[in-house]
Amino acid sequence: RLKDLEVAELGDSDVHVKMLAAPINPADINMIQGTYAILSPLPTVGGNEGVGEVLEVGQRVAALKPGDWVIPASTGLGTWRTRGVFPEETLLKVPSDIPVLSAATLSVNPCTAYRMLADFESLAPGDSVIQNAANSGVGQAVIQIAKASGIKTINVVRDRPDLPKLVERLMALGADHVITEEMLRKPEMKDIFKSIPKPRLALNCVGGKSTTEMLRHLQPKGTMVTYGGMAKQPVMVPVSAFIFRDVRLRGFWMTQWRKDHAQDQESLTSMMDALCQLIQRGQLTAPACTEVPLQDYKAALEATMKPFTSSKQVLLL
């Protein structure tokens, strides 16, 4: 429900923020449904991502000033609101000269894409990565970050009525190959590997059959990282992939990475700087977004849950 609440009083270490925009992500829906790994004590404000402008700061706040743009430093901030008072350590400053939609969608998907490309295999220019759900927010960020680093991407999407349009959009972002899940099983896949090496890294957001098929194209000793399970089916791996090709299966959750690196400000800062520089250079754009006024939140939630949505719903606050 949309409710009017009093804004909390500003403490010495607090920051009063006017929220500008906040997206609706699948994880936000899962939290509301009660199926996510983190559940906020009720009553609570939804939304884990977004950007706001600092209006006022407490006496002890040193790193932020009015006019600065901030995004959540961790999960559970509750961004679907017009204003809020938050402790300084729950916020990260971002440049205010980047597009508002890029800032609003920065803290979850691009960070997930960046870490998965950096932390599991040491990839060099010319190497390749294969991923499913390539039109998701993470998928679009993977394409662009990989392109900026000279890494080739093979992007798997579900067949759909407007497939040529989607292929065109992903190619425009810098995708090297866009294929359907059905094509993973076809002999034509060999043609792709005439021009680029087999991938050392696979990124899985789907599960089920799509994953098993994608795994077949991974190099021996390659790594598959699972960060989502949209098909709600387990990851099935042939025994031969383990024994004869020694593939590694790993998982990734951005929230856990932030917890593990809570004392390591440098790794967080260097990642955010790298991503903001890509945005400023025009090499990383926000995913396709539909901007929705806050009062139409119900329509935005419904749109997020529809299949084949290639546009992220963003609440304008």
Side-chain angles (χ1 to χ4, degrees):
R1 283 176 294 184
L2 196 56
K3 293 186 87 166
D4 285 320
L5 302 170
E6 291 288 316
V7 176
E9 271 186 40
L10 189 74
D12 285 349
S13 304
D14 289 341
V15 181
H16 183 187
V17 177
K18 171 184 184 282
M19 292 303 297
L20 303 172
I24 300 175
N25 290 315
D28 301 326
I29 304 278
N30 296 148
M31 279 176 89
I32 294 166
Q33 290 166 334
T35 58
Y36 202 59
I38 301 175
L39 300 175
S40 302
L42 300 173
T44 192
V45 178
N48 290 300
E49 193 178 32
V51 62
E53 183 185 329
V54 174
L55 295 178
E56 197 185 348
V57 298
Q59 293 172 345
R60 291 211 200 109
V61 174
L64 295 170
K65 60 184 189 308
D68 284 347
W69 276 18
V70 288
I71 63 173
S74 56
T75 314
L77 196 66
T79 54
W80 301 346
R81 61 173 103 204
T82 52
R83 294 189 175 198
V85 170
F86 308 106
E88 181 185 15
E89 70 270 13
T90 63
L91 302 168
L92 287 175
K93 183 178 166 180
V94 293
S96 54
D97 63 348
I98 61 176
V100 71
L101 291 177
S102 293
T105 55
L106 178 59
S107 64
V108 177
N109 295 338
C111 291
T112 299
Y114 183 93
R115 294 265 56 107
M116 291 194 302
L117 287 169
D119 293 353
F120 295 93
E121 289 283 343
S122 44
L123 300 170
D127 284 344
S128 77
V129 173
I130 188 167
Q131 63 165 347
N132 55 23
N135 58 310
S136 65
V138 171
Q140 292 176 56
V142 164
I143 290 169
Q144 296 174 83
I145 296 166
K147 172 85 173 170
S149 313
I151 294 159
K152 309 286 184 193
T153 55
I154 303 159
N155 301 281
V156 186
V157 296
R158 285 183 295 176
D159 201 2
R160 62 193 64 216
D162 60 346
L163 184 65
K165 217 154 106 191
L166 176 61
V167 171
E168 197 180 313
R169 198 155 64 76
L170 296 183
M171 295 297 270
L173 289 179
D176 294 281
H177 297 275
V178 182
I179 59 173
T180 62
E181 291 186 340
E182 290 71 30
M183 185 159 164
L184 279 171
R185 294 189 273 284
K186 295 196 171 150
E188 293 93 290
M189 280 300 289
K190 289 197 182 81
D191 296 339
I192 289 178
F193 299 122
K194 283 175 186 166
S195 59
I196 62 174
K198 284 207 161 191
R200 295 225 313 276
L201 181 66
L203 305 176
N204 167 45
C205 181
V206 179
K209 210 171 184 179
S210 159
T211 311
T212 313
E213 295 299 340
M214 196 164 68
L215 199 66
R216 284 173 35 191
H217 302 292
L218 203 57
Q219 275 190 34
K221 293 194 187 311
T223 304
M224 184 168 77
V225 182
T226 293
Y227 68 98
M230 283 159 54
K232 294 188 168 60
Q233 290 167 348
V235 170
M236 309 285 273
V237 183
V239 170
S240 60
F242 280 129
I243 299 173
F244 303 121
R245 292 179 32 242
D246 192 17
V247 297
R248 278 176 293 217
L249 266 64
R250 300 287 305 275
F252 183 76
W253 187 31
M254 193 63 219
T255 301
Q256 189 62 47
W257 186 92
R258 287 185 195 278
K259 276 187 198 154
D260 294 346
H261 293 79
Q263 304 309 314
D264 178 8
Q265 273 311 104
E266 200 179 313
S267 60
L268 181 61
T269 311
S270 68
M271 171 174 68
M272 297 317 282
D273 287 350
L275 290 170
C276 288
Q277 280 171 24
L278 288 173
I279 293 167
Q280 286 163 326
R281 291 203 294 263
Q283 291 175 299
L284 178 61
T285 55
C289 291
T290 303
E291 299 173 46
V292 183
L294 181 58
Q295 60 268 29
D296 297 338
Y297 73 95
K298 279 188 179 158
L301 287 168
E302 279 165 23
T304 302
M305 293 194 283
K306 285 194 179 122
F308 300 124
T309 43
S310 285
S311 188
K312 195 179 279 290
Q313 304 291 307
V314 178
L315 299 171
L316 297 183
L317 308 161

